[in-house]
Amino acid sequence: MNAESDERGKVAPTVTTAPATGDVTEEVTVEPPLGSRAPEFIKARRTLHISWQVGVFVVGLAVVAAGAAMLVLPGPGWVVIFGGMAIWATEFVWAQLVLRWTKRKVTEAAHRALDPKVRRRNLILTTVGLVIMAALIGVYLWKYGFAMPWSI
């Protein structure tokens, strides 16, 4: 009942950049094996294991559906969707692979954001945006004046 995958037992390299020097180093992290994380007594009985998988799928589906609803309603939609994916990842290899890919991409984006050139560019863009916003607010106030929307 264990699902096999090409990524089972692989070691994932992690590339890091030293903030002070900018040197790129490569660290090797060992990821846990793919497959079901159900207790052994459940995996030992096929019917019980399939029932367990159905239950995990239904609970994960409910959480992902709630997260999808929160994308248009108030609430932390993406956080809840990834929580549902984490529930699925306790049992299904495909969800484990999706979460590993997502974690890898988020880590890469975080490392890129810490790159001094990228940080400098982001600071310049933010400053330019704030100056433009201040100019627009100044023009609006010059033309229409400052009026409170309520009476005091």
Side-chain angles (χ1 to χ4, degrees):
M1 193 71 192
N2 289 338
E4 296 297 324
S5 171
D6 293 339
E7 291 199 19
R8 187 179 295 258
K10 277 190 178 178
V11 175
T14 304
V15 177
T16 59
T17 305
T21 62
D23 295 337
V24 177
T25 59
E26 188 170 314
E27 299 172 2
V28 178
T29 57
V30 178
E31 295 178 338
L34 297 172
S36 176
R37 291 181 174 83
E40 290 302 321
F41 74 92
I42 289 177
K43 287 195 273 188
R45 295 167 184 81
R46 181 174 169 80
T47 307
L48 190 57
H49 193 215
I50 290 175
S51 301
W52 178 269
Q53 285 182 327
V54 168
V56 167
F57 182 79
V58 168
V59 169
L61 183 63
V63 173
V64 168
M70 287 183 203
L71 291 175
V72 293
L73 299 172
W78 286 109
V79 174
V80 175
I81 288 173
F82 287 122
M85 289 296 295
I87 291 171
W88 279 339
T90 62
E91 196 58 35
F92 302 107
V93 173
W94 60 268
Q96 293 169 4
L97 294 175
V98 168
L99 282 180
R100 282 185 183 180
W101 179 84
T102 304
K103 182 179 177 184
R104 191 169 48 250
K105 291 299 179 183
V106 167
T107 304
E108 289 172 8
H111 285 297
R112 270 186 274 131
L114 294 176
D115 180 26
K117 290 180 182 178
V118 174
R119 289 183 69 194
R120 190 176 314 116
R121 183 199 65 203
N122 289 345
L123 283 172
I124 290 170
L125 288 175
T126 301
T127 304
V128 168
L130 288 174
V131 168
I132 290 172
M133 288 298 297
L136 290 174
I137 290 171
V139 168
Y140 177 83
L141 290 175
W142 174 70
K143 187 168 184 168
Y144 298 107
F146 185 73
M148 299 294 279
W150 57 84
S151 304
I152 298 179

